[in-house]
């Protein structure tokens, strides 16, 4: 469905892809943090855990953006194009 010239279904799918990518990055940062911690690199471990928290925040914001997209599409100009 298109709203105001934006294919909202495709846009939503791209947001989901970004969330998937952030999830993969978070998983790797988590593994690296534990590897650093196990090796006694406490500062590196701490920094990577902070990165992990930021990635969690980014994923939450992506979720917020998906919700906002849905609301914005509903409140659009009233012009909608659907494939029949």
């Amino acid at each position: 469905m298109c709203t105001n010239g934006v294919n909202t279904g495709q846009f939503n799918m791209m947001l989901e892809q970004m969330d998937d990518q952030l999830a993969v990055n978070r998983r790797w940062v988590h593994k690296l943090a534990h590897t650093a911690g196990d090796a006694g690199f406490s500062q590196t471990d701490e920094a990577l855990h902070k990165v992990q928290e930021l990635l969690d925040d980014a994923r939450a914001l992506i979720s917020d953006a998906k919700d906002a997209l849905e609301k914005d599409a509903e409140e659009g100009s009233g012009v909608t194009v659907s494939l029949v």
Side-chain angles (χ1 to χ4, degrees):
M1 177 171 77
C2 288
T3 303
N4 294 341
V6 175
N7 182 327
T8 54
Q10 187 177 37
F11 198 93
N12 189 57
M13 184 173 42
M14 290 187 296
L15 287 173
E16 288 176 5
Q17 289 173 340
M18 293 303 302
D19 183 51
D20 290 345
Q21 183 62 50
L22 289 170
V24 169
N25 291 336
R26 184 202 184 278
R27 193 171 320 125
W28 277 103
V29 167
H30 180 76
K31 289 179 181 186
L32 290 171
H34 283 287
T35 300
D38 293 346
F41 301 147
S42 61
Q43 293 177 18
T44 304
D45 178 36
E46 183 180 332
L48 289 171
H49 274 98
K50 288 180 183 176
V51 170
Q52 184 179 334
E53 291 173 15
L54 290 171
L55 289 170
D56 288 337
D57 292 345
R59 289 191 71 203
L61 289 170
I62 290 285
S63 180
D64 291 348
K66 288 173 62 177
D67 292 341
L69 174 65
E70 187 176 317
K71 290 176 186 173
D72 285 342
E74 288 174 4
E75 298 169 0
S77 69
V79 176
T80 354
V81 179
S82 299
L83 182 61
V84 241

